[in-house]
Amino acid sequence: MSLDTHHGGRGGGAQTDVEEIVAVADRVRGAMETVIGGKPEVLRLTLTVLLAEGHLLIEDVPGVGKTMLAKALGRAVDCSVQRVQFTPDLLPSDITGVSVYHQDRHEFEFNPGPVFANIVLGDEINRASPKTQAALLECMAERQVSVDGRTHALERPFMVVATQNPADMKGTYALPEAQRDRFMARVSVGYPAPQAELDMIDSHGARSPLDALAPVTDAVRIRDLADKVAAVHVAPGVRRYIVDLVNATRTSPELRLGASPRATLHLVRAARAYAALHGRHYVLPDDVQALAVPVLAHRLLPGPEAQTRRRTPEQIVAGLVAHLPVPGPR
Amino acid sequence: MPLASLLCLAMALPLLSPFVRGGTWWVPAFVMMAAVAGVSALYRSPGRNAFPVPFLQALAVLALVTPLFAGHLAPLGLLPTKDVVAHLGTTLEQGAHTIDVSAPPVSASSGVMLIIALCLALFMMAADFLAVTARCPGMVGVLLLTLMAVPLVLDGSGVGPLPAIACAGGFLVLLAVDAWVRGREWGMRVPDAHDSSAGVSEAVRRVVTVSLTSAVAVLLALTVPLALPSLRTDVFHTLADGTYIGTGGDVITTTHPLVSLRRDLASSSDRTVLTYRTDAEEPDYLRTYVLDEFDGVNWTMTPVNASNDTRVDGELPLPTGWGSAPSEDTVTTRISLDAESPRMDFLPLPYWARSVEVSGEWYADPGSHVVFSTNSPPTGLSFTVESVDRRPTTEELADTGDPRSLPGDHRDLPRDLDPRVRELTEALTEQARTPYERAMALQEYFTGGSFTYDLAPPAVPGDADPLVHFLLEDRIGYCEQFAGAMAVMARQAGIPARVAVGYTAGERMGDGRWAVSVGDAHAWPELYFEGAGWVRFEPTPASSAGQGSASVPDYARGEREGGPVSPGTVPEEPEVVPTETARTPEGNEEPAAEEERSPSPSGDEEPEDETDSSVAASEHGPRSGADLSWLPAASAVAIGLLLLVLPALVRALVRWSRMAALSTDDARAAHIAWRELRDTFLDLGGTWTSTESPRAAAERMARGGPVPERSGSRSTGPMSGSARRPVSRETVAALGRLALAEEAARYAPAPLPSEGLREDLRTARAGLVSVVGTGARARAVLLPRSLAPWRRPRPSPTPEPLTS
């Protein structure tokens, strides 16, 4: 059953904005699906984070298409894409860029690093040293780079897609909570369904479908749409619902560390984008529920009791969502 | 939570303290309650399933009974052996007996303590279930009300302010703890914005709502009981073969006098009811009840009061109309009630009994001088009564004028009394000048021969006034009709009158004792004369053609006969019984009279089951009984039917008003439609949680209909519900539109237009109804679950298995 019935003219301008968002998002999604098949939820979440101007953390085992996902996104949106392979010897300046002294002109010139792009793919981010991680994460939060006392603003849209491999933890520096908190959402791609994997053999057989991927929109358009997403209505009841949910993670006896106020803001922004992607100009509790796990779970630390009972933060958040009453009639 | 409910109930304990003597009665009760609460708290703390809790609690109570109440018998003070069980049984029995026979406060014997402790342990289990398992701590208030009702039922003194405050305080603590526990699980809700004026007006609105609701509740509690018929005239009470007697004081239940009288008369046995030994030559009648209110058909008893002032300890109050207590002619009578007979709540006593020595608790009514008990006295009771046998002489009575000194009006007659009764009375008393002469004229009318004594009188036609019918038409009846009719006519003639019920003097046995049998049950009028008090008359024919053992007092014998001629003899009739028979009721005609009475036709059996409370002046044909008895039964059936369809009516009313309100403002219409959909779904057996958004709820309804989902099937999606009937496509679409309207009304800046909601609601309702079975449909109509507040959604208290 689909409830995504569009309103007939009632939303006014907001509704036409939303329809534009849906149209663009459908095109981007269609393009990406030629590369990443059978993962509509992952694609939807990726688009949500893109429109909400957040950063995405993809956590999964190798080979499931983490990098492919990020690349496909970069291709489908006609914008600059940079890729950084994180290794233990990577330095902060390898990301942010360096100032180079020009002897002929007797001055320093700033050579922008790979972070100066619309979409930055940080592969295996947990392999870099904490110092380097910190440099990237600072850029993520502040959307600017400070080198030698000069500040260089990053272009909008700016989205970091970082991947990490949870299985092979040898020689890695796990991201501390404070840095995980800067990612708006965390997804795991997961193995494809058998049918999708069969299709994949065909499509990826001769050459990468990435090469055939033509851009369907551009950075300016995305920037414009992101501004429109910010206008999506969040009813007072839904705001309270979000705060209640975040509060519940802080008071839950199963969690050692709850979600931060930044998580609240991320959740609201993501919910706006998610609602817009579904053609609505207002946020439903359902949007919040659908986003609660990807937006909140990676920021939480389970308490000792939950650890002994092998309850993951995902399960705990889902339990909280299942028990929080949705906002009723005004 | 369990400890909070323990605290709550413990604070209600002082409510019971006025009823138990001794300070330590609550100790075992408290130990048991603490054990019950402790078991609950310990077992639940690791978050286990609550199902075995009541059983564990019951085990704990059983384990505690032995050490607390039979520790000296049991090995190690714990193990329940056979002796222990037997001892507990007897203790329990003793306790029950103590509570039965004594008025509060009862002494705190171990039996009483055991009963109290067990009851309170049961209460505690119920409270634990309500507050912790069911998570409805408000319902514990019902238990507290039950506890509070105990003092209200036991005596009229009510509840003291301190125990009441303690009880209410405990309840509030319980509610507060519940709110706190919920808050800790969830984190407090973020309060509404304070700074805005909307927040202030919201707070004001809440305060006003709460105060208004409380005010209306208090007002209803005060006024509704006034408007309702009081208990003792309530039709429900007359349905039982017993009636409530008593106001203000203790409410006592007793077999109704007249019902039992008729049963006695109708019974074929000449079983002895009581025997007595007296030093009087010619003992007087024994009075049991006095009926002093006449409503046009029946003579009934004014409620009697049992209070500490009227308790019998030796002396009885002086009868009305006597100047001082006379000391002459004291008669001592020792009465033994038959052990086989049913227990009597009213003592049969001669008039006027100056003092009674009797065991147990008895109360004397100062107006009617009946002596009664509030708790069932043992059978086979023996008691000694000292009475004054003061019978006025004819001259004394002849001199009396109009009664003035009588408190209360015993001359009341119903306004709509048939005028022919007045005409007849006036015709009979035309010649009489004094009240005494009028009384004699009336008595003579009955004993003059035109009336026939028959224990099974023919039926009264349905439309006839039984009194008029007896007086003017068939003139057939027995003592009740005679006594009742004469009392009515005496009142008509200006003489205060009432009907006394009891036994005649009975029959003298060989060893000097007197025996009163079932057949000696009798009713007679008592008339009041200034200076002489209440005086007995005898309109019922005596002898074998009448009440065999009836005797006419000297003052009531006609003077014209010139001697001791029994008014029971009728000059015109040949089968006149010799005077001696009437004077010596113990004569050998008695068996004959009994025999005549014994083959009472089966028609007279009927009054035993008769639901009508009392009929005295009327006839008791089967017809008249039937006329009256169908009414309460029919109204009971009608009320039962009404109660049966009441939920359906309320539900239909709610639905109707919601349907009517659908055409209003957009957002409200969507809310109303959604609420109606929710209630329909609940009625049909579905479940509803407040954690589900409209969209999710609609999807669930569309998936499975109102069949409760099993927890396992929820995550596996639509394929799992293969056993269910599919919900039709139109229904799914209607559900979707309703959910969309509701979520827009809740969360969007502007709601959707409300047109089409009504049709969608109808479609959704029909679709949901069509997928459930007939049983569920019938239940949805007759017992709509949506009316039950506990079915309404509220946050579930414990984590459920996850769906991820």
Side-chain angles (χ1 to χ4, degrees), chain A residues 174-222:
Chain A
L175 288 180
E177 297 83 55
Q179 307 200 343
R180 282 203 305 263
D181 198 28
R182 301 200 177 154
F183 287 99
M184 178 175 273
R186 178 182 66 177
V187 289
S188 46
V189 179
Y191 293 116
Q195 185 58 47
E197 205 158 1
L198 275 178
D199 297 345
M200 188 192 78
I201 292 174
D202 291 340
S203 61
H204 291 242
R207 59 195 188 97
S208 171
L210 214 52
D211 302 335
L213 194 61
V216 290
T217 182
D218 54 22
V220 180
R221 193 75 187 277
I222 293 294

Short mmCIF file of all heavy atoms in Angstrom, two decimals, chain A residues 174-222:
data_model
loop_
_atom_site.label_atom_id
_atom_site.label_comp_id
_atom_site.label_asym_id
_atom_site.label_seq_id
_atom_site.Cartn_x
_atom_site.Cartn_y
_atom_site.Cartn_z
N ALA A 174 40.11 3.24 15.53
CA ALA A 174 38.65 3.38 15.49
C ALA A 174 38.28 4.83 15.73
O ALA A 174 38.91 5.53 16.53
CB ALA A 174 38.01 2.49 16.54
N LEU A 175 37.26 5.30 15.05
CA LEU A 175 36.85 6.69 15.22
C LEU A 175 36.30 6.89 16.62
O LEU A 175 35.45 6.12 17.08
CB LEU A 175 35.74 7.03 14.21
CG LEU A 175 36.15 7.17 12.75
CD1 LEU A 175 34.91 7.51 11.93
CD2 LEU A 175 37.19 8.25 12.59
N PRO A 176 36.78 7.91 17.32
CA PRO A 176 36.19 8.18 18.65
C PRO A 176 34.76 8.71 18.50
O PRO A 176 34.36 9.18 17.43
CB PRO A 176 37.12 9.23 19.24
CG PRO A 176 37.90 9.78 18.12
CD PRO A 176 37.89 8.79 17.02
N GLU A 177 34.03 8.66 19.62
CA GLU A 177 32.62 9.05 19.57
C GLU A 177 32.44 10.46 19.03
O GLU A 177 31.55 10.73 18.22
CB GLU A 177 31.98 9.02 20.98
CG GLU A 177 31.94 7.69 21.66
CD GLU A 177 33.24 7.36 22.35
OE1 GLU A 177 33.68 8.17 23.18
OE2 GLU A 177 33.83 6.31 22.04
N ALA A 178 33.32 11.35 19.49
CA ALA A 178 33.17 12.75 19.10
C ALA A 178 33.23 12.89 17.59
O ALA A 178 32.57 13.76 17.02
CB ALA A 178 34.27 13.59 19.75
N GLN A 179 33.99 12.03 16.93
CA GLN A 179 34.11 12.17 15.49
C GLN A 179 33.01 11.42 14.76
O GLN A 179 32.53 11.85 13.71
CB GLN A 179 35.48 11.70 15.08
CG GLN A 179 36.52 12.44 15.90
CD GLN A 179 37.88 12.43 15.29
OE1 GLN A 179 38.15 11.63 14.41
NE2 GLN A 179 38.73 13.32 15.75
N ARG A 180 32.59 10.33 15.35
CA ARG A 180 31.45 9.65 14.74
C ARG A 180 30.22 10.54 14.76
O ARG A 180 29.38 10.49 13.88
CB ARG A 180 31.15 8.35 15.50
CG ARG A 180 32.10 7.22 15.17
CD ARG A 180 31.44 5.90 15.47
NE ARG A 180 30.96 5.80 16.84
CZ ARG A 180 31.66 5.22 17.80
NH1 ARG A 180 32.83 4.69 17.56
NH2 ARG A 180 31.16 5.17 19.01
N ASP A 181 30.17 11.38 15.78
CA ASP A 181 29.02 12.24 15.96
C ASP A 181 28.86 13.20 14.78
O ASP A 181 27.77 13.72 14.55
CB ASP A 181 29.19 13.03 17.26
CG ASP A 181 27.89 13.62 17.76
OD1 ASP A 181 26.84 13.01 17.45
OD2 ASP A 181 27.91 14.63 18.45
N ARG A 182 29.94 13.45 14.06
CA ARG A 182 29.84 14.44 12.96
C ARG A 182 29.21 13.85 11.71
O ARG A 182 28.87 14.60 10.80
CB ARG A 182 31.22 14.96 12.63
CG ARG A 182 31.80 15.59 13.89
CD ARG A 182 32.89 16.52 13.61
NE ARG A 182 33.29 17.07 14.90
CZ ARG A 182 34.48 17.53 15.16
NH1 ARG A 182 35.37 17.55 14.20
NH2 ARG A 182 34.76 18.01 16.35
N PHE A 183 29.12 12.56 11.65
CA PHE A 183 28.43 11.96 10.50
C PHE A 183 26.94 11.99 10.77
O PHE A 183 26.49 11.66 11.87
CB PHE A 183 28.88 10.51 10.30
CG PHE A 183 30.27 10.42 9.74
CD1 PHE A 183 31.36 10.18 10.56
CD2 PHE A 183 30.49 10.60 8.38
CE1 PHE A 183 32.63 10.12 10.05
CE2 PHE A 183 31.76 10.52 7.87
CZ PHE A 183 32.85 10.29 8.70
N MET A 184 26.23 12.42 9.77
CA MET A 184 24.78 12.50 9.95
C MET A 184 24.17 11.11 10.08
O MET A 184 23.30 10.88 10.91
CB MET A 184 24.14 13.22 8.78
CG MET A 184 22.63 13.28 8.89
SD MET A 184 21.92 14.25 7.56
CE MET A 184 22.01 15.89 8.26
N ALA A 185 24.65 10.18 9.27
CA ALA A 185 24.04 8.86 9.31
C ALA A 185 25.08 7.80 9.01
O ALA A 185 26.11 8.08 8.39
CB ALA A 185 22.90 8.76 8.29
N ARG A 186 24.81 6.64 9.47
CA ARG A 186 25.67 5.52 9.14
C ARG A 186 24.82 4.45 8.47
O ARG A 186 23.73 4.12 8.97
CB ARG A 186 26.30 4.94 10.42
CG ARG A 186 27.16 3.72 10.12
CD ARG A 186 27.74 3.15 11.38
NE ARG A 186 26.69 2.61 12.24
CZ ARG A 186 26.94 1.99 13.38
NH1 ARG A 186 28.18 1.87 13.81
NH2 ARG A 186 25.96 1.52 14.11
N VAL A 187 25.29 3.92 7.38
CA VAL A 187 24.57 2.81 6.74
C VAL A 187 25.53 1.66 6.54
O VAL A 187 26.75 1.83 6.52
CB VAL A 187 24.00 3.20 5.36
CG1 VAL A 187 22.86 4.15 5.51
CG2 VAL A 187 25.07 3.76 4.46
N SER A 188 24.94 0.50 6.44
CA SER A 188 25.75 -0.61 5.95
C SER A 188 25.06 -1.11 4.68
O SER A 188 23.83 -1.22 4.64
CB SER A 188 25.87 -1.70 7.01
OG SER A 188 24.62 -1.95 7.56
N VAL A 189 25.86 -1.35 3.67
CA VAL A 189 25.28 -1.71 2.38
C VAL A 189 24.69 -3.12 2.44
O VAL A 189 23.57 -3.36 2.01
CB VAL A 189 26.35 -1.59 1.28
CG1 VAL A 189 25.76 -2.00 -0.06
CG2 VAL A 189 26.88 -0.19 1.23
N GLY A 190 25.44 -4.03 2.97
CA GLY A 190 24.95 -5.41 3.08
C GLY A 190 25.12 -6.14 1.77
O GLY A 190 25.31 -5.55 0.70
N TYR A 191 25.06 -7.46 1.88
CA TYR A 191 25.20 -8.27 0.67
C TYR A 191 23.96 -8.11 -0.19
O TYR A 191 22.85 -7.95 0.33
CB TYR A 191 25.38 -9.74 1.05
CG TYR A 191 26.69 -9.99 1.76
CD1 TYR A 191 26.72 -10.42 3.07
CD2 TYR A 191 27.90 -9.78 1.10
CE1 TYR A 191 27.92 -10.64 3.72
CE2 TYR A 191 29.10 -10.00 1.75
CZ TYR A 191 29.11 -10.43 3.06
OH TYR A 191 30.28 -10.63 3.70
N PRO A 192 24.12 -8.19 -1.49
CA PRO A 192 22.95 -8.06 -2.35
C PRO A 192 22.10 -9.32 -2.30
O PRO A 192 22.57 -10.40 -1.93
CB PRO A 192 23.54 -7.85 -3.74
CG PRO A 192 24.90 -8.42 -3.68
CD PRO A 192 25.37 -8.28 -2.26
N ALA A 193 20.83 -9.16 -2.63
CA ALA A 193 19.94 -10.32 -2.73
C ALA A 193 20.40 -11.18 -3.91
O ALA A 193 21.06 -10.67 -4.83
CB ALA A 193 18.51 -9.85 -2.95
N PRO A 194 20.09 -12.49 -3.89
CA PRO A 194 20.59 -13.37 -4.96
C PRO A 194 20.26 -12.85 -6.35
O PRO A 194 21.13 -12.86 -7.24
CB PRO A 194 19.88 -14.69 -4.67
CG PRO A 194 19.61 -14.65 -3.22
CD PRO A 194 19.40 -13.23 -2.86
N GLN A 195 19.06 -12.39 -6.54
CA GLN A 195 18.68 -11.93 -7.88
C GLN A 195 19.50 -10.71 -8.30
O GLN A 195 20.01 -10.62 -9.42
CB GLN A 195 17.18 -11.59 -7.90
CG GLN A 195 16.64 -11.23 -9.26
CD GLN A 195 16.87 -12.36 -10.27
OE1 GLN A 195 16.61 -13.53 -9.99
NE2 GLN A 195 17.40 -12.02 -11.44
N ALA A 196 19.69 -9.79 -7.33
CA ALA A 196 20.46 -8.59 -7.63
C ALA A 196 21.90 -8.96 -7.96
O ALA A 196 22.54 -8.35 -8.82
CB ALA A 196 20.42 -7.64 -6.45
N GLU A 197 22.39 -10.01 -7.28
CA GLU A 197 23.76 -10.41 -7.53
C GLU A 197 23.88 -11.03 -8.93
O GLU A 197 24.87 -10.82 -9.63
CB GLU A 197 24.20 -11.42 -6.46
CG GLU A 197 25.69 -11.42 -6.24
CD GLU A 197 26.08 -11.97 -4.88
OE1 GLU A 197 25.17 -12.37 -4.12
OE2 GLU A 197 27.28 -12.02 -4.58
N LEU A 198 22.86 -11.79 -9.35
CA LEU A 198 22.85 -12.34 -10.70
C LEU A 198 22.89 -11.23 -11.74
O LEU A 198 23.68 -11.25 -12.68
CB LEU A 198 21.58 -13.18 -10.90
CG LEU A 198 21.64 -14.63 -10.45
CD1 LEU A 198 20.29 -15.29 -10.66
CD2 LEU A 198 22.71 -15.37 -11.22
N ASP A 199 22.00 -10.21 -11.52
CA ASP A 199 21.98 -9.09 -12.45
C ASP A 199 23.33 -8.40 -12.51
O ASP A 199 23.78 -7.95 -13.56
CB ASP A 199 20.91 -8.09 -12.02
CG ASP A 199 19.53 -8.71 -12.08
OD1 ASP A 199 19.40 -9.78 -12.70
OD2 ASP A 199 18.59 -8.13 -11.50
N MET A 200 23.96 -8.35 -11.31
CA MET A 200 25.23 -7.65 -11.21
C MET A 200 26.28 -8.32 -12.09
O MET A 200 27.11 -7.66 -12.73
CB MET A 200 25.66 -7.65 -9.76
CG MET A 200 26.87 -6.81 -9.46
SD MET A 200 27.44 -7.19 -7.81
CE MET A 200 28.27 -8.73 -8.13
N ILE A 201 26.24 -9.68 -12.14
CA ILE A 201 27.22 -10.40 -12.96
C ILE A 201 27.10 -9.94 -14.40
O ILE A 201 28.10 -9.67 -15.07
CB ILE A 201 26.98 -11.91 -12.85
CG1 ILE A 201 27.31 -12.38 -11.45
CG2 ILE A 201 27.84 -12.65 -13.86
CD1 ILE A 201 26.99 -13.81 -11.18
N ASP A 202 25.87 -9.78 -14.86
CA ASP A 202 25.68 -9.32 -16.23
C ASP A 202 26.18 -7.90 -16.42
O ASP A 202 26.97 -7.60 -17.32
CB ASP A 202 24.20 -9.38 -16.60
CG ASP A 202 23.74 -10.82 -16.70
OD1 ASP A 202 24.62 -11.69 -16.88
OD2 ASP A 202 22.52 -11.07 -16.60
N SER A 203 25.71 -7.00 -15.56
CA SER A 203 25.97 -5.58 -15.79
C SER A 203 27.46 -5.24 -15.57
O SER A 203 28.00 -4.39 -16.25
CB SER A 203 25.08 -4.74 -14.89
OG SER A 203 25.38 -5.03 -13.55
N HIS A 204 28.09 -5.91 -14.61
CA HIS A 204 29.48 -5.58 -14.31
C HIS A 204 30.44 -6.48 -15.06
O HIS A 204 31.63 -6.51 -14.77
CB HIS A 204 29.76 -5.70 -12.81
CG HIS A 204 29.06 -4.65 -12.01
ND1 HIS A 204 29.74 -3.73 -11.26
CD2 HIS A 204 27.75 -4.38 -11.86
CE1 HIS A 204 28.88 -2.94 -10.66
NE2 HIS A 204 27.65 -3.31 -11.01
N GLY A 205 29.93 -7.27 -15.98
CA GLY A 205 30.78 -8.28 -16.61
C GLY A 205 31.91 -7.66 -17.44
O GLY A 205 33.09 -7.78 -17.10
N ALA A 206 31.57 -6.95 -18.48
CA ALA A 206 32.59 -6.49 -19.41
C ALA A 206 33.33 -5.29 -18.86
O ALA A 206 34.54 -5.32 -18.64
CB ALA A 206 31.93 -6.16 -20.75
N ARG A 207 32.58 -4.25 -18.57
CA ARG A 207 33.25 -3.05 -18.07
C ARG A 207 32.36 -2.43 -17.01
O ARG A 207 31.17 -2.78 -16.89
CB ARG A 207 33.51 -2.08 -19.20
CG ARG A 207 32.25 -1.64 -19.92
CD ARG A 207 32.57 -0.97 -21.23
NE ARG A 207 31.35 -0.40 -21.79
CZ ARG A 207 31.03 0.88 -21.64
NH1 ARG A 207 31.82 1.71 -20.97
NH2 ARG A 207 29.91 1.34 -22.13
N SER A 208 32.94 -1.54 -16.31
CA SER A 208 32.21 -0.98 -15.19
C SER A 208 31.03 -0.16 -15.69
O SER A 208 31.19 0.67 -16.60
CB SER A 208 33.14 -0.10 -14.36
OG SER A 208 32.39 0.59 -13.41
N PRO A 209 29.87 -0.36 -15.13
CA PRO A 209 28.71 0.45 -15.53
C PRO A 209 28.89 1.90 -15.13
O PRO A 209 28.17 2.78 -15.61
CB PRO A 209 27.55 -0.20 -14.76
CG PRO A 209 28.19 -0.89 -13.63
CD PRO A 209 29.55 -1.32 -14.09
N LEU A 210 29.88 2.14 -14.29
CA LEU A 210 30.16 3.50 -13.85
C LEU A 210 30.53 4.38 -15.05
O LEU A 210 30.19 5.57 -15.10
CB LEU A 210 31.32 3.47 -12.85
CG LEU A 210 31.30 4.47 -11.70
CD1 LEU A 210 29.99 4.43 -10.97
CD2 LEU A 210 32.44 4.16 -10.76
N ASP A 211 31.20 3.73 -15.99
CA ASP A 211 31.63 4.51 -17.14
C ASP A 211 30.45 4.99 -17.97
O ASP A 211 30.50 6.06 -18.57
CB ASP A 211 32.55 3.65 -18.03
CG ASP A 211 33.74 3.17 -17.23
OD1 ASP A 211 34.07 3.86 -16.25
OD2 ASP A 211 34.32 2.12 -17.58
N ALA A 212 29.39 4.17 -17.99
CA ALA A 212 28.23 4.53 -18.80
C ALA A 212 27.33 5.52 -18.10
O ALA A 212 26.36 6.00 -18.69
CB ALA A 212 27.43 3.27 -19.14
N LEU A 213 27.64 5.79 -16.83
CA LEU A 213 26.75 6.65 -16.03
C LEU A 213 26.89 8.10 -16.44
O LEU A 213 27.96 8.70 -16.35
CB LEU A 213 27.08 6.49 -14.55
CG LEU A 213 26.09 7.03 -13.56
CD1 LEU A 213 24.74 6.33 -13.71
CD2 LEU A 213 26.60 6.82 -12.15
N ALA A 214 25.78 8.66 -16.93
CA ALA A 214 25.82 10.06 -17.33
C ALA A 214 25.22 10.91 -16.23
O ALA A 214 24.27 10.48 -15.58
CB ALA A 214 25.02 10.24 -18.62
N PRO A 215 25.76 12.10 -16.01
CA PRO A 215 25.20 12.97 -14.96
C PRO A 215 23.76 13.35 -15.27
O PRO A 215 23.41 13.57 -16.43
CB PRO A 215 26.11 14.20 -15.02
CG PRO A 215 27.30 13.82 -15.80
CD PRO A 215 26.93 12.69 -16.69
N VAL A 216 22.93 13.36 -14.24
CA VAL A 216 21.52 13.72 -14.43
C VAL A 216 21.19 15.06 -13.81
O VAL A 216 20.12 15.61 -14.01
CB VAL A 216 20.58 12.65 -13.86
CG1 VAL A 216 20.64 11.39 -14.70
CG2 VAL A 216 20.92 12.34 -12.42
N THR A 217 22.10 15.59 -13.00
CA THR A 217 21.86 16.91 -12.39
C THR A 217 23.21 17.50 -12.05
O THR A 217 24.24 16.87 -12.27
CB THR A 217 20.96 16.81 -11.16
OG1 THR A 217 20.74 18.11 -10.65
CG2 THR A 217 21.58 15.96 -10.08
N ASP A 218 23.21 18.69 -11.48
CA ASP A 218 24.50 19.29 -11.17
C ASP A 218 24.52 19.88 -9.76
O ASP A 218 23.49 19.91 -9.07
CB ASP A 218 24.85 20.35 -12.19
CG ASP A 218 23.76 21.38 -12.32
OD1 ASP A 218 22.96 21.50 -11.36
OD2 ASP A 218 23.68 22.05 -13.35
N ALA A 219 25.66 20.35 -9.38
CA ALA A 219 25.86 20.82 -8.01
C ALA A 219 24.99 22.01 -7.69
O ALA A 219 24.46 22.12 -6.58
CB ALA A 219 27.34 21.17 -7.81
N VAL A 220 24.81 22.89 -8.66
CA VAL A 220 23.99 24.08 -8.40
C VAL A 220 22.56 23.68 -8.08
O VAL A 220 21.95 24.20 -7.15
CB VAL A 220 24.03 25.00 -9.65
CG1 VAL A 220 23.20 26.24 -9.39
CG2 VAL A 220 25.46 25.35 -9.98
N ARG A 221 22.09 22.73 -8.86
CA ARG A 221 20.72 22.25 -8.64
C ARG A 221 20.58 21.64 -7.24
O ARG A 221 19.62 21.91 -6.52
CB ARG A 221 20.41 21.20 -9.71
CG ARG A 221 18.96 20.84 -9.82
CD ARG A 221 18.23 21.98 -10.52
NE ARG A 221 16.81 21.76 -10.50
CZ ARG A 221 16.19 20.97 -11.40
NH1 ARG A 221 16.87 20.39 -12.36
NH2 ARG A 221 14.89 20.83 -11.34
N ILE A 222 21.58 20.84 -6.88
CA ILE A 222 21.52 20.19 -5.55
C ILE A 222 21.54 21.24 -4.45
O ILE A 222 20.80 21.16 -3.47
CB ILE A 222 22.72 19.23 -5.40
CG1 ILE A 222 22.62 18.06 -6.37
CG2 ILE A 222 22.80 18.71 -3.97
CD1 ILE A 222 21.47 17.13 -6.12
#
